[in-house]
Amino acid sequence: MPRITFTRRQALMGTAALAGGLAMPGLVRAASRPMLTHGVQSGDVAHDGAVIWGRADREAEMWVEWSTSDSFRDAHLMPRLPVGAPTDNTGKMALTGLPSDQEIFYRVTMADLSDGTKSEPVTGHFRTAPNAARDVSFVWSGDVAGQGWGIDEDRGGMKTYATMLNHNPDFFLHSGDTVYADGPLQERVDLADGTVWKNIVTEAKMKVAETLDEFRGQHLYNLMDANVRAFNAQVPVIAQWDDHEVTNNWYPNEMLDADDRYAVKSARLLAARAGQAFHEMLPTRQSLSEPRRIYRKVAYGPLLDVFVIDMRTYRGDNTANDEDGGTPFLGAEQMAWLKRELTNSTAVWKVIAADMPIGMMVRDGDTAMENGANGDGPVRGREADIAAMLSFIKHGGIRNTVWLTADVHYTAAHHYSPDRAVFQDFEPFWEFVSGPLHAGTFGPSDYDNTFGPEVRFAKHPDEGQANLPPSDGMQFFGKVDISAATKVMTVSLMDREDVTLWSTELEPALA
């Protein structure tokens, strides 16, 4: 597809607005025109619309215009949206009635509610999903600003975002750990090579997040990075969460009695505040029936449906995960939804966007397990939900499912087959893992043979190495390309320097 280009003024507008907002003294700023503080974002693109996000430096009216031309000739002005303290001056607006498979240019302006003074507009771009078959390309990754590695401007900031932007993807699937609310930053970190990593540090990033404003501050911190803002202005996001949006390895009934960093001990209370901040700070579509719901389907034409699932909110406690009768993982309502939506999908490819891998053993301390895996053997604990879903996919004749995830801070390609598995009532499928996007690099994981995973490729630090900084270069993302002509899905595992580490072509099973 043709690459969209912007003028230098358009490209720098978001950065200039943010820099001005951070540097301007409070008194002068309050008397001046309003501004957008952290760029713009779009997300959850459909064939006829998308969600647009912006944040003002004060109470204001959010004005959104869209056009099919970057000159904004014949621009369409949406109804105005007041923003203020209840949402930390953020606003989200769903654009509707857009033409399908069309480059859309939008601009956001904030108008002071007291005197009508307007900000400089900040522009963005996305392409609506197609109704007819065309080539589709997207990227995915997860894990941002974790393990003490924040924004070091001397090292170029969060550079993987710039690498992904060079591919001009249709959208970005953020596979979770969008922030590290449990990971305070230090200004300086001494590295093994004798150099110093220098973090930008904000008040919110100096402690674990407990209040709503502190959770908001985790997201606003990442938006300080120029690479992130430039990426957000041109590439729509499909965002999901995992644990670090709240706290490491959390589950709803958890009490953080042993963690002296927290005055708030209830994980459920922390998750409620974190969930509000997540939806305020990201361009997600929200359901009136469950406003904080993460799971949803994003349809992207006849070649692709993306099923975003939530492996965090509905789970039972983190135990040894060896309950013979199973224990909650996805939850009954989400399971029913996923079965229904997979059955009704007519797309060639069905991507299940998971926030945790299936067969890699992710531990919570010495005895508890964090994901579904629990060691070799028959289905137990949380594996029951995975087994039920895989069996349903097989017996429902649902073809061409691919699982994408992040979470474990390295990149890998896994093939699952009943021929290698203890549980055998499923069809072979692929799972691809990629991350971190900008966090510490770890690995490798142990594997569980319940569903028969085979590691076809993996790149991670050597045994004994852990939490390598982004400056070591082991930052990863994945890229998916689907051909309209052949319907073949090509999955590539990439690194920050844009090197293709491994790639495979998946032939679809067609009726």
Side-chain angles (χ1 to χ4, degrees):
M1 67 186 71
R3 178 165 178 77
I4 302 302
T5 58
F6 292 86
T7 66
R8 177 174 175 81
R9 181 174 181 272
Q10 288 172 322
L12 295 177
M13 192 174 295
T15 302
L18 177 63
L22 293 175
M24 191 178 299
L27 183 61
V28 175
R29 176 169 155 252
S32 70
R33 64 197 297 187
M35 63 180 63
L36 282 94
T37 60
H38 291 78
V40 292
Q41 302 180 71
S42 66
D44 285 12
V45 169
H47 74 278
D48 62 350
V51 177
I52 304 300
W53 178 96
R55 182 178 183 272
D57 65 342
R58 66 192 72 182
E59 287 186 292
E61 260 185 349
M62 179 175 170
W63 294 25
V64 178
E65 301 168 90
W66 67 269
S67 175
T68 57
S69 167
D70 62 358
S71 70
F72 287 91
R73 184 177 58 253
D74 300 324
H76 301 261
L77 176 64
M78 302 298 292
R80 300 168 189 177
L81 174 67
V83 301
T87 61
D88 196 37
N89 299 335
T90 64
K92 294 199 300 187
M93 184 174 294
L95 303 186
T96 59
L98 306 184
S100 67
D101 198 17
Q102 175 66 55
E103 306 291 349
I104 301 295
F105 301 86
Y106 65 93
R107 60 188 174 198
V108 180
T109 306
M110 295 293 183
D112 192 296
L113 280 171
S114 61
D115 60 14
T117 305
K118 293 182 183 178
S119 71
E120 281 286 324
V122 178
T123 61
H125 152 266
F126 61 90
R127 185 176 182 178
T128 50
N131 275 325
R134 71 150 164 89
D135 293 349
V136 175
S137 176
F138 69 93
V139 292
W140 92 91
S141 189
D143 318 314
V144 182
Q147 291 75 48
W149 311 114
I151 302 168
D152 184 338
E153 290 188 324
D154 291 343
R155 298 177 186 268
M158 299 186 184
K159 294 167 60 175
T160 315
Y161 279 93
T163 305
M164 294 192 301
L165 179 56
N166 286 335
H167 289 276
N168 191 29
D170 287 306
F171 61 87
F172 168 49
L173 172 60
H174 201 312
S175 299
D177 293 340
T178 55
V179 298
Y180 278 72
D182 57 338
L185 297 177
Q186 298 178 354
E187 290 187 6
R188 297 168 59 89
V189 182
D190 293 329
L191 302 184
D193 63 3
T195 64
V196 176
W197 182 279
K198 301 175 184 177
N199 284 315
I200 294 176
V201 178
T202 63
E203 183 177 355
K205 296 297 293 185
M206 295 177 70
K207 65 179 291 291
V208 296
E210 298 177 89
T211 69
L212 175 58
D213 278 343
E214 287 167 350
F215 282 111
R216 289 164 168 165
Q218 307 301 311
H219 294 271
L220 293 176
Y221 177 83
N222 292 352
L223 293 172
M224 292 173 64
D225 185 87
N227 301 300
V228 174
R229 294 195 309 278
F231 184 86
N232 289 345
Q234 294 196 42
V235 181
V237 63
I238 301 173
Q240 65 188 139
W241 75 352
D242 188 33
D243 56 335
H244 291 285
E245 286 83 359
V246 182
T247 190
N248 187 45
N249 298 344
W250 74 276
Y251 51 90
N253 293 328
E254 184 177 13
M255 298 299 294
L256 304 175
D257 294 331
D259 194 332
D260 294 338
R261 300 177 303 166
Y262 286 89
V264 178
K265 298 298 185 180
S266 167
R268 193 178 299 275
L269 176 55
L270 293 172
R273 295 169 179 173
Q276 179 173 337
F278 177 88
H279 286 292
E280 285 178 350
M281 297 296 166
L282 288 161
T284 56
R285 292 186 188 271
Q286 293 174 255
S287 166
L288 288 177
S289 62
E290 190 182 352
R292 303 284 175 84
R293 198 174 88 181
I294 302 291
Y295 70 84
R296 62 203 186 276
K297 184 185 87 168
V298 179
Y300 215 84
L303 293 180
L304 176 65
D305 280 342
V306 180
F307 302 88
V308 179
I309 64 173
D310 179 359
M311 302 169 115
R312 184 62 50 182
T313 304
Y314 311 101
R315 63 168 55 200
D317 295 355
N318 287 357
T319 65
N321 197 30
D322 58 0
E323 297 86 350
D324 287 336
T327 192
F329 195 16
L330 300 181
E333 290 188 9
Q334 182 176 202
M335 287 279 286
W337 166 85
L338 183 54
K339 291 177 179 179
R340 181 174 63 251
E341 293 296 336
L342 284 169
T343 299
N344 293 335
S345 174
T346 59
V348 174
W349 290 100
K350 293 96 174 163
V351 165
I352 300 176
D355 48 291
M356 303 196 78
I358 294 172
M360 305 169 87
M361 294 177 62
V362 185
R363 293 177 170 83
D364 180 12
D366 294 332
T367 60
M369 300 303 298
E370 204 350 45
N371 64 337
N374 52 26
D376 291 348
V379 170
R380 294 170 299 180
R382 295 182 184 133
E383 290 176 329
D385 277 4
I386 301 299
M389 186 56 59
L390 295 179
S391 180
F392 177 85
I393 289 170
K394 172 185 175 179
H395 293 287
I398 299 166
R399 299 179 173 90
N400 309 319
T401 59
V402 174
W403 294 65
L404 301 181
T405 189
D407 182 63
V408 292
H409 294 245
Y410 69 94
T411 189
H414 303 144
H415 185 262
Y416 292 80
S417 173
D419 296 337
R420 297 184 295 268
V422 176
F423 176 80
Q424 297 181 321
D425 190 22
F426 68 97
E427 297 289 346
F429 67 96
W430 284 89
E431 174 190 67
F432 300 99
V433 184
S434 211
L437 186 54
H438 186 85
T441 314
F442 292 82
S445 295
D446 297 325
Y447 287 82
D448 176 331
N449 72 359
T450 303
F451 302 110
E454 180 179 66
V455 181
R456 298 287 179 87
F457 173 81
K459 185 166 184 179
H460 47 69
D462 293 334
E463 202 73 47
Q465 292 184 318
N467 195 21
L468 298 188
S471 54
D472 278 15
M474 296 187 74
Q475 306 290 290
F476 307 112
F477 68 97
K479 183 170 182 283
V480 175
D481 296 281
I482 305 174
S483 166
T486 65
K487 300 182 175 59
V488 169
M489 173 186 282
T490 303
V491 181
S492 304
L493 303 180
M494 318 285 293
D495 69 11
R496 189 180 70 176
E497 302 308 315
D498 212 19
V499 175
T500 301
L501 305 171
W502 184 88
S503 183
T504 189
E505 293 185 353
L506 307 182
E507 295 279 350
L510 302 176

